[in-house]
Amino acid sequence: MKRDTLDKIVNRLEHLEPDELRHLFMRLAAEKGLMQDVFDALRDGLILFDADGAASFANKSACAMFNRSRHELLRMPFERLVGGTCRWEELAGSGVAITRDLHVNYPESRHYNFLMSPVAQGSEYLLLIRDDTESIVRGEEDAEAEQFNLITYMAGAVAHEIGNPLNSLGLNLQLMQRKLSKLDGAARDALTPLLDSALVETRRLDTLLRQFLQSIRPGNMQRESVQLNEVLERVLQVLEPEIAPRGIAIQMSLAEELPELNADSGQLFQVFYNLIRNAFQSIPGEENGGIYIQTDFNDNDVRVLIGDNGTGISHEVMGNMYEPFRTTKRKGNGLGLLIVRHIIKEHGGTLSLASKEGTGTTVTITLPRADRVVRLLPS
């Protein structure tokens, strides 16, 4: 209802009959309720401040963002409601609109945009709070995907440049070996072991190069029915020669009748190979080292937990765990965890890490079941 209309009604109040007053107030209440419903339906938070800087109105989204009831929210001080981005004394009567970003860490990480806009001829202010967390996360994921693609492209280019001269070197060594076999005497006996050693090292470099390319570029998924417990057991069989001499205890709690996954078994093997290898490499040489592996499931997902009692990861390093070429290992390349995360995301799963320096690390992976029930809205 317009302000001039309200002024006319106020001037006529003393001339209205009781029935007319009752009808008028019922109409005003209905309009107020409608506007309240409209504002409550908005996704953005709205808080209106009067000329004294006191909150006079808040919608449901604002209450949810602050985790307060409407009554509690309206009693909170101005500076707290605007996240300390400005003071009312600086804003009151200025007619200036302000927009600022705010990153909240507790109880969860959220990114908000605050817009303070003057209303009612600048005497009051409307605070609009927009939650930008999802768009920022999407942007970070897009940037991460672009970064990963760039790394794989660079790795392929470098491997190609190394591979060509390496192949040429191998061919020339083979030609030298043939010519050397036709020689007689001490020269052949002296040069043959050296040439054989060079050929062995060349083949080893070629194998390492191919393995590196395979790990950095997982390729297209070849989905099939996969039993996760079997993949984990195969990984442990391959790693046993490295783990056994260290005396590290492996404790396993594999769920019986674990549902199958529709996944690429080779890529999942690579994931768990990397994670379990990281786990035992983080355990110092002393006794009492242990790795715990658990699988379980619910109606939608299969979960794998890999924990160790190794050196753990500091808070500073945890914040950069997925940056390429950043590693805590002396001989690591900093790409293993990045590749693991990429594979899990391509499978529609999630990866989470929990660690405390000096205590150990726990990695949790969830992957969608092959028989996952798709729930649709009723038609």
Side-chain angles (χ1 to χ4, degrees):
M1 190 175 290
K2 296 181 179 179
R3 183 176 292 275
D4 56 350
T5 304
L6 288 173
D7 292 339
K8 291 178 182 178
I9 293 174
V10 170
N11 292 332
R12 293 183 55 196
L13 280 178
E14 58 184 10
H15 304 294
L16 294 177
E17 297 294 330
D19 289 342
E20 292 176 316
L21 278 172
R22 188 181 302 108
H23 175 72
L24 174 62
F25 283 119
M26 288 179 65
R27 179 183 169 189
L28 288 172
E31 288 195 9
K32 181 182 178 182
L34 175 62
M35 295 306 296
Q36 181 76 55
D37 291 342
V38 170
F39 289 132
D40 282 342
L42 295 177
R43 185 178 179 181
D44 296 336
L46 289 175
I47 302 177
L48 181 64
F49 297 96
D50 61 22
D52 297 322
S56 58
F57 171 81
N59 68 348
K60 276 187 179 179
S61 293
C63 297
M65 289 174 179
F66 286 91
N67 195 25
R68 295 286 189 276
S69 67
R70 204 186 308 266
H71 177 72
E72 292 174 324
L73 193 64
L74 296 180
R75 299 183 64 179
M76 290 173 65
F78 172 81
E79 289 188 24
R80 188 174 177 188
L81 288 173
V82 298
T85 57
C86 62
R87 299 173 58 195
W88 179 253
E89 291 77 10
E90 300 170 352
L91 200 63
S94 66
V96 176
I98 297 177
T99 178
R100 291 178 184 172
D101 293 321
L102 183 68
H103 180 202
V104 178
N105 294 316
Y106 184 83
E108 60 178 340
S109 180
R110 309 296 298 180
H111 296 267
Y112 294 109
N113 175 259
F114 282 53
L115 172 63
M116 290 290 297
S117 178
V119 293
Q121 290 79 45
S123 62
E124 300 180 2
Y125 266 85
L126 179 66
L127 172 61
L128 175 67
I129 311 171
R130 178 174 289 111
D131 190 342
D132 290 335
T133 306
E134 291 182 7
S135 61
I136 289 174
V137 169
R138 281 196 301 269
E140 290 175 350
E141 289 177 349
D142 291 342
E144 181 185 313
E146 185 176 348
Q147 186 182 54
F148 188 86
N149 291 334
L150 178 62
I151 290 170
T152 55
Y153 172 78
M154 290 175 62
V158 172
H160 177 74
E161 292 301 318
I162 296 175
N164 284 340
L166 190 62
N167 288 334
S168 178
L169 180 61
L171 290 172
N172 282 285
L173 287 173
Q174 290 176 29
L175 289 173
M176 290 173 63
Q177 190 179 43
R178 290 175 188 172
K179 291 184 178 181
L180 188 63
S181 65
K182 297 177 182 179
L183 298 178
D184 295 324
R188 185 189 64 184
D189 296 338
L191 291 175
T192 298
L194 298 176
L195 190 58
D196 290 342
S197 177
L199 280 168
V200 169
E201 291 302 314
T202 303
R203 293 190 188 102
R204 189 172 72 88
L205 282 174
D206 183 61
T207 301
L208 288 173
L209 196 62
R210 284 188 284 104
Q211 288 177 346
F212 173 74
L213 278 175
Q214 185 178 3
S215 65
I216 193 67
R217 205 163 41 192
N220 296 326
M221 278 194 292
Q222 304 296 323
R223 288 187 180 268
E224 58 183 345
S225 294
V226 177
Q227 175 50 252
L228 210 55
N229 286 346
E230 295 177 2
V231 176
L232 287 166
E233 288 169 352
R234 279 196 291 117
V235 171
L236 288 173
Q237 286 176 359
V238 172
L239 288 174
E240 185 180 7
E242 293 185 69
I243 298 176
R246 298 276 309 277
I248 296 172
I250 305 292
Q251 183 179 355
M252 301 184 70
S253 176
L254 304 183
E256 297 181 1
E257 301 181 358
L258 194 70
E260 290 186 342
L261 305 177
N262 182 25
D264 186 314
S265 61
Q267 291 189 11
L268 290 185
F269 181 95
Q270 183 180 350
V271 165
F272 298 119
Y273 179 90
N274 274 284
L275 293 177
I276 296 174
R277 202 163 189 268
N278 286 347
F280 77 73
Q281 286 181 346
S282 72
I283 298 172
E286 60 263 18
E287 298 179 357
N288 301 322
I291 297 173
Y292 177 69
I293 301 172
Q294 178 188 8
T295 60
D296 58 25
F297 61 95
N298 56 29
D299 291 342
N300 296 310
D301 305 300
V302 171
R303 188 182 73 152
V304 182
L305 184 147
I306 301 172
D308 64 70
N309 61 350
T311 55
I313 305 168
S314 67
H315 294 164
E316 293 79 12
V317 175
M318 278 287 284
N320 304 305
M321 283 299 294
Y322 300 112
E323 288 187 14
F325 309 115
R326 185 178 292 273
T327 178
T328 57
K329 300 178 185 176
R330 197 170 42 140
K331 297 183 179 179
N333 56 31
L335 296 174
L337 199 57
L338 183 68
I339 295 167
V340 165
R341 188 188 193 194
H342 179 75
I343 292 174
I344 294 301
K345 286 176 116 178
E346 288 292 303
H347 279 78
T350 61
L351 170 72
S352 66
L353 281 84
S355 186
K356 184 178 179 181
E357 197 169 11
T359 302
T361 302
T362 300
V363 181
T364 304
I365 291 174
T366 59
L367 292 163
R369 291 173 51 165
D371 59 350
R372 183 184 224 170
V373 177
V374 178
R375 294 182 175 84
L376 302 176
L377 292 172
S379 56

